[in-house]
Amino acid sequence: MRSVRIWFNKTDTAKYISHLDLTRCMVRAFRRTDIPLWYTEGFNPHPHLVFGMSLPLGVEGLYEPLDIRLNDENYPLQRVIDELNRVTVPGIKFIEITEPQNKPLEIFSADYSAQLVGIDLEGIGEKIKEIIANETLTYEKKVKKGGFKTINVTENLKNFEVTEENGGVLLKFNLPAGNDFTVSPVNFCNLLTEKLCRDDLLWRITRHKLLMKNGADFI
Amino acid sequence: MLKTKIESILPLVQKPARYTGGELNSVVKNKENVDIRFAFCFPDTYEIGMSHLGMKILYSLINSRENYWCERVFAPDTDMEAVMREKDIPLFALESRDQLADFDVVGFTLQYELCFTNVLNMLNLAKIPLRSKDRGDSLDIPVVIAGGPCVCNPEPLADFIDAFQIGEGEEMMLEFLDLLNEYKKQGKSRSEFLKAAAHIEGIYVPSLYDVTYNEDGTIKEIKATNGAPDVVNKRVVADLDKIFYPDTFVVPFVEVVHDRVVHEIFRGCIRGCRFCQAGFWYRPIREKSVETISEQSQRLACTSGYDELSLCSLSSSDYTKITELLEELLGWAVPQKINVALPSLRIDNFSDELKEKLALVRRSGLTFAAEAGTQRLRDVINKNISESEILDTCRKAFVGGWTAVKLYFMIGLPTETDDDVVGINVLSQKVVEEFYSNPDKPKGKGVNVSAGVSSFVPKPCTPFQWEPQDTREELKRKQKLLLDTCTSKKITFRFHNTDLTFLEGVFARGDRRLSDVIEAAYNNGCTFDSWDDKFKFDTWLQAFETCGLSTEFYANRRRSYDEVLPWDHINSGIRKQFLICENEKAKNAETTKHCRQQCAGCGSNKLNGGKCDALSQNMV
């Protein structure tokens, strides 16, 4: 048995596949290949798949990790990628396969970009900068025990940048995305459109990579 | 523009993957290279529609033609519909996200009567005029067609549908589209096309038939006009081994009701249960060979990645080579970790050999359709199973480790007395006792007998098509009687909503005057009627009142054998005289042998050139 980490992207319509549905979708993709996936040995055997960090519904991911185990240690690694790409669904592409260096629990934050889509975007970038500089953005999150917890976006927001070009607005930022604590990029962006009083605008949010606490890339 | 608009609302709705398309094996073509665009509409949500085998077959069939493109459309869920209406987004097809008005054909499959308002709602969302007569005489507005089991009696939807496809679609569909393609190229009018289409076997164009009524509201005459055939024959395909079957299924991302490879092993049913519309409608019997089923299933499993294969038919254990089939399928399925499911098994031929094979399959629930509580009533409905067979099978199942059994019953069957109703309790109790008489019963575990009790709806094309349906009050009384006479905590009852059943009964045997009622109810907010929480019974009653029609006339009235029935011009292949004879036998609790024991002469083989698989096996 050999543990490997597969990196894939999830873009276009595939960004609307929920995390739970993605698991099923991946298992079926493997079943359409000859990849010797390792199955658990219980009464009801199922393949062992571990996703690094779930993607929020509607957010694209460009470099997402998926850990699997192979039964046949000699199965060529590049073939795993080729086979999966042969049978994959529109919007999901497999990029590369590596030996896992870090544990999924070490994932701490993620780099995102968010593109604003819509008309009359003139000056919106400046307004967003003002909001970030002068206001504290928070939202309420349901917690498992019941009740709500206030999440402070502003104090967790890192490396925030706004660029305006060709009449479009692009944000880049880093937010916590870990097992213990996560700030939703979707809620962050929606808070901005709320403050802008523009419910006609659409965000295209992309997760570029996952990082660890020390700021290094999760690999 | 529409695509961006759609994208902008996806974050606002539940399970957006139901509206994005892009699933594995969904078909995207370049519309510039396509002659005919077909929108296959399922008038219920994605989860239900994507479970439907007929849609998978016709989707692949139409797309197998390079110049035709079939796309899927489902009824948007209520949250999606609200946003679509607010943002003025028309109903669109999943593959291209183009609006339905851009299509050549909009085709609905009618699986149950209570979906009729959804058909209207989808047409309305698509901005297509609801009534055929309002669609002009050009072919620019999509031709609206419908098929599926409900077209056994298509009349209630007659005003909304341009053409019905009666019976099996594998051949008729392409003939219909070929004709449309030809007529469109020649610049012919809508009415010219429909008149010509009426001559394709199985195509019923309701606007070409005039219906007149007697003073008492019954039908006086159904008259074909414009050269349309007097009687439309149900279309039947001859050979299931040679007929088209898909190589691929569209594999949904979200979980749908039936999310697996499905394979139909035969059509028709040899049993002749007198209440069962499907049992007669899908005749004659045609079996698919073990080799074809195995080969096609394996290909489907391979192209889908599904880990479950379900065999589908009206009574799987009546497939002549069922043991051989299971052996063959399990041969490749088990090593590939594919679970084989075999629903619709009968109690009386649940052989030990079959049980042994089924033991290799992952255990699912055990369900028996006893249908009635007493032997007399089971004889009336020709459900040829005995109490000892039911109890024997349950005993074997309990010995095999099962602790839960589901039993299906009906109340409101013709000739039913209170003794028959209470008989449901008596039988269920005997099943409970069977469990406790098993010396090896698992320690500390009780038994759970779940009795699903639905209410009988008399359906066209069955020997009971003339029978009155029990009133709602009577059905409610019988439900209460069951609860009152049940003494065991091991038995749980599940009932059907009697109001829903009643409306189903009205539409099952309704005539085309009901088109007005459906439109009135729809205009007053009725959609998703089959969903208990969305069903507005009072609105429906109001609609009947507005249109001056009586629900009791359709549901609770006994018809005489010589009354002209609204579906008399639709030929299911079953002879009326046979149905009358079966009805008479029912009154005397006389049973009819199943088709392999003795051909009862239903007549359905006539539509298939005299061939019926039950018949040929009988003669061998």
Side-chain angles (χ1 to χ4, degrees):
Chain A
M1 198 231 302
R2 178 178 186 186
S3 294
V4 289
R5 182 161 293 161
I6 295 169
W7 299 88
F8 65 95
N9 65 29
K10 183 168 173 274
T11 59
D12 202 31
T13 53
K15 71 182 176 193
Y16 296 108
I17 306 172
S18 73
H19 188 65
L20 204 68
D21 294 342
L22 182 66
T23 313
R24 199 168 42 238
C25 168
M26 287 289 184
V27 172
R28 283 175 184 160
F30 278 104
R31 294 183 57 88
R32 297 191 290 273
T33 70
D34 64 0
I35 297 168
L37 203 59
W38 180 83
Y39 276 69
T40 58
E41 281 156 4
F43 177 70
N44 194 0
H46 56 274
H48 179 86
L49 262 63
V50 178
F51 289 90
M53 178 58 49
S54 62
L55 260 175
L57 195 65
V59 174
E60 292 188 332
L62 296 187
Y63 197 64
E64 297 292 318
L66 165 63
D67 293 354
I68 60 158
R69 291 175 186 171
L70 298 174
N71 251 335
D72 175 1
E73 303 198 355
N74 297 318
Y75 191 88
L77 291 189
Q78 184 53 38
R79 186 154 160 202
V80 173
I81 297 299
D82 294 344
E83 274 289 284
L84 285 172
N85 279 330
R86 181 176 65 81
V87 301
T88 192
V89 299
I92 294 181
K93 254 196 94 124
F94 297 86
I95 303 160
E96 60 179 333
I97 185 164
T98 57
E99 303 280 346
Q101 304 294 318
N102 313 119
K103 294 192 182 77
L105 280 175
E106 294 178 73
I107 297 171
F108 180 78
S109 74
D111 279 353
Y112 299 96
S113 69
Q115 198 198 352
L116 202 48
V117 182
I119 45 167
D120 297 330
L121 295 179
E122 200 68 36
I124 292 275
E126 284 309 311
K127 280 188 194 157
I128 290 176
K129 276 185 202 161
E130 274 170 40
I131 293 167
I132 298 294
N134 302 324
E135 297 193 41
T136 306
L137 302 173
T138 60
Y139 66 88
E140 300 293 307
K141 185 191 171 187
K142 252 192 201 157
V143 282
K144 276 178 191 154
K145 291 172 204 152
F148 290 89
K149 186 176 153 190
T150 303
I151 304 284
N152 188 324
V153 183
T154 309
E155 69 182 25
N156 287 292
L157 187 68
K158 303 238 155 62
N159 309 336
F160 183 77
E161 269 177 49
V162 188
T163 45
E164 276 181 277
E165 49 187 47
N166 309 326
V169 177
L170 184 74
L171 313 186
K172 285 183 183 167
F173 53 90
N174 173 287
L175 281 175
N179 204 42
D180 299 328
F181 183 64
T182 291
V183 177
S184 158
V186 179
N187 287 357
F188 167 51
C189 289
N190 288 345
L191 279 171
L192 288 177
T193 23
E194 225 172 83
K195 296 275 175 198
L196 292 162
C197 300
R198 290 287 299 267
D199 64 353
D200 60 314
L201 298 177
L202 173 70
W203 289 104
R204 285 198 182 124
I205 308 172
T206 306
R207 182 155 86 186
H208 291 259
K209 62 181 180 186
L210 297 166
L211 301 100
M212 297 187 292
K213 196 163 191 176
N214 62 9
D217 290 356
F218 171 78
I219 51 173
Chain B
M1 188 58 211
L2 181 59
K3 287 187 179 71
T4 321
K5 251 177 147 177
I6 293 169
E7 195 192 339
S8 73
I9 62 170
L10 289 175
L12 310 174
V13 299
Q14 293 287 314
K15 297 194 211 165
R18 296 181 289 178
Y19 310 109
T20 59
E23 303 97 322
L24 179 77
N25 299 327
S26 59
V27 178
V28 177
K29 297 188 179 185
N30 181 349
K31 60 185 169 197
E32 305 306 320
N33 306 331
V34 164
D35 293 323
I36 296 287
R37 296 188 67 184
F38 190 105
F40 197 120
C41 301
F42 195 100
D44 211 315
T45 56
Y46 181 91
E47 289 91 328
I48 295 170
M50 279 301 287
S51 308
H52 176 234
L53 178 60
M55 181 183 219
K56 296 176 201 289
I57 295 175
L58 293 174
Y59 179 81
S60 297
L61 173 80
I62 299 170
N63 282 322
S64 72
R65 288 287 190 87
E66 211 174 306
N67 57 332
Y68 298 165
W69 185 11
C70 180
E71 303 184 41
R72 295 160 298 143
V73 188
F74 301 93
D77 215 334
T78 20
D79 62 335
M80 179 69 171
E81 184 187 334
V83 191
M84 284 170 72
R85 288 195 184 277
E86 186 198 322
K87 310 252 172 180
D88 194 30
I89 293 174
L91 189 62
F92 58 91
L94 295 188
E95 280 78 358
S96 65
R97 296 198 197 166
D98 285 336
Q99 57 174 340
L100 262 60
D102 296 346
F103 283 68
D104 300 292
V105 186
V106 168
F108 289 92
T109 177
L110 307 172
Q111 297 295 309
Y112 25 82
E113 289 82 0
L114 295 173
C115 73
F116 291 168
T117 51
N118 278 14
V119 172
L120 269 59
N121 194 35
M122 288 172 79
L123 287 173
N124 176 276
L125 275 169
K127 304 186 178 187
I128 295 171
L130 292 187
R131 292 192 177 249
S132 300
K133 66 173 172 56
D134 299 329
R135 293 184 194 131
D137 199 27
S138 90
L139 287 167
D140 293 341
I141 293 182
V143 176
V144 179
I145 66 171
C150 276
V151 303
C152 192
N153 173 24
E155 288 304 282
L157 284 183
D159 288 357
F160 312 113
I161 304 294
D162 297 325
F164 289 97
Q165 297 194 346
I166 313 284
E168 295 165 355
E170 285 101 333
E171 293 164 333
M172 164 170 53
M173 177 62 87
L174 290 181
E175 290 166 24
F176 183 85
L177 297 183
D178 288 346
L179 186 77
L180 179 64
N181 190 21
E182 192 189 316
Y183 270 57
K184 276 208 137 177
K185 280 190 173 145
Q186 292 170 6
K188 295 263 175 74
S189 71
R190 195 179 187 90
S191 52
E192 281 173 306
F193 166 70
L194 289 174
K195 273 180 222 162
H199 293 283
I200 297 174
E201 180 104 346
I203 301 289
Y204 167 55
V205 179
S207 57
L208 301 179
Y209 294 77
D210 285 340
V211 182
T212 47
Y213 300 90
N214 296 310
E215 260 175 38
D216 64 2
T218 57
I219 291 173
K220 190 173 179 192
E221 194 186 18
I222 303 167
K223 205 171 174 225
T225 66
N226 289 289
D230 292 333
V231 168
V232 179
N233 289 330
K234 176 187 79 180
R235 192 66 181 264
V236 167
V237 301
D239 188 341
L240 295 194
D241 280 321
K242 296 198 178 109
I243 204 71
F244 179 87
Y245 202 73
D247 284 341
T248 60
F249 280 178
V250 176
V251 182
F253 294 124
V254 301
E255 203 160 10
V256 300
V257 180
H258 295 294
D259 206 5
R260 54 186 76 101
V261 174
V262 183
H263 212 123
E264 188 186 25
I265 57 178
F266 71 101
R267 286 186 189 166
C269 183
I270 61 170
R271 298 288 165 171
C273 302
R274 292 177 181 132
F275 57 86
C276 177
Q277 186 178 40
F280 292 104
W281 180 250
Y282 292 110
R283 284 184 179 188
I285 313 290
R286 286 146 298 150
E287 288 197 346
K288 207 167 188 172
S289 71
V290 171
E291 296 73 36
T292 312
I293 296 168
S294 175
E295 190 197 308
Q296 292 175 341
S297 308
Q298 201 162 1
R299 202 177 312 145
L300 277 170
C302 179
T303 56
S304 65
Y306 275 129
D307 57 2
E308 191 172 352
L309 161 65
S310 175
L311 301 180
C312 148
S313 74
L314 291 172
S315 175
S316 299
S317 45
D318 284 335
Y319 182 76
T320 38
K321 295 178 180 165
I322 187 70
T323 317
E324 190 186 321
L325 176 65
L326 279 179
E327 207 161 309
E328 166 68 28
L329 294 178
L330 293 170
W332 55 263
V334 172
Q336 291 181 37
K337 298 189 177 67
I338 292 173
N339 176 31
V340 180
L342 192 54
S344 309
L345 289 174
R346 275 183 68 95
I347 297 183
D348 49 351
N349 59 359
F350 195 85
S351 70
D352 289 343
E353 205 185 1
L354 181 57
K355 217 180 120 224
E356 217 169 275
K357 286 277 168 298
L358 281 174
L360 295 170
V361 167
R362 203 166 61 187
R363 177 187 299 178
S364 60
L366 200 61
T367 308
F368 295 128
E371 311 293 6
T374 60
Q375 195 59 46
R376 186 200 68 82
L377 196 52
R378 282 195 294 274
D379 288 345
V380 167
I381 61 176
N382 203 38
K383 182 86 193 182
N384 287 319
I385 49 168
S386 66
E387 183 173 298
S388 61
E389 281 169 331
I390 296 170
L391 296 178
D392 266 1
T393 317
C394 288
R395 184 182 317 121
K396 282 183 198 161
F398 292 145
V399 170
W402 264 279
T403 58
V405 174
K406 258 191 219 164
L407 298 172
Y408 284 150
F409 295 102
M410 268 185 283
I411 51 172
L413 288 162
T415 78
E416 183 179 62
T417 64
D418 282 1
D419 286 344
D420 296 312
V421 176
V422 176
I424 292 173
N425 260 328
V426 176
L427 181 58
S428 306
Q429 186 59 42
K430 282 183 185 164
V431 173
V432 171
E433 282 156 19
E434 203 60 62
F435 177 83
Y436 288 106
S437 67
N438 169 20
D440 301 323
K441 65 175 180 294
K443 284 199 178 64
K445 268 194 177 174
V447 65
N448 181 11
V449 175
S450 159
V453 182
S454 60
S455 308
F456 171 63
V457 179
K459 295 266 169 140
C461 185
T462 67
F464 292 151
Q465 64 178 358
W466 296 278
E467 295 297 316
Q469 183 181 4
D470 266 2
T471 60
R472 289 180 292 139
E473 294 70 29
E474 181 66 358
L475 289 171
K476 278 183 194 141
R477 188 189 68 80
K478 286 176 178 173
Q479 290 179 349
K480 189 165 179 298
L481 177 65
L482 267 178
L483 289 174
D484 290 347
T485 53
C486 179
T487 50
S488 170
K489 281 186 178 155
K490 307 288 175 195
I491 305 170
T492 45
F493 285 109
R494 281 182 309 127
F495 296 114
H496 279 198
N497 178 330
T498 51
D499 295 342
L500 275 168
T501 303
F502 177 60
L503 201 64
E504 184 187 333
V506 170
F507 285 115
R509 294 185 295 172
D511 54 43
R512 54 174 66 183
R513 289 174 299 185
L514 293 185
S515 287
D516 290 341
V517 179
I518 296 170
E519 191 175 356
Y522 167 65
N523 286 335
N524 288 322
C526 288
T527 55
F528 286 109
D529 298 303
S530 57
W531 298 28
D532 267 329
D533 56 328
K534 289 179 185 145
F535 181 55
K536 297 181 182 131
F537 189 57
D538 291 339
T539 312
W540 272 107
L541 291 183
Q542 222 176 342
F544 275 94
E545 205 168 299
T546 314
C547 300
L549 292 169
S550 141
T551 47
E552 289 76 18
F553 172 83
Y554 293 102
N556 309 126
R557 177 174 64 92
R558 178 179 298 283
R559 290 135 170 95
S560 71
Y561 291 143
D562 53 14
E563 180 178 330
V564 179
L565 301 171
W567 55 94
D568 268 352
H569 55 311
I570 306 295
N571 176 24
S572 65
I574 310 285
R575 291 182 305 120
K576 201 169 200 175
Q577 199 50 48
F578 165 81
L579 294 178
I580 292 173
C581 173
E582 282 292 297
N583 185 296
E584 288 300 315
K585 281 170 93 174
K587 284 178 190 156
N588 302 321
E590 258 180 72
T591 60
T592 298
K593 286 183 174 157
H594 73 63
C595 302
R596 287 208 184 98
Q597 290 167 323
Q598 190 181 358
C599 173
C602 71
S604 67
N605 59 334
K606 264 201 178 156
L607 294 178
N608 193 31
K611 271 189 291 185
C612 171
D613 279 355
L615 205 61
S616 57
Q617 285 146 7
N618 191 30
M619 275 151 52
V620 168

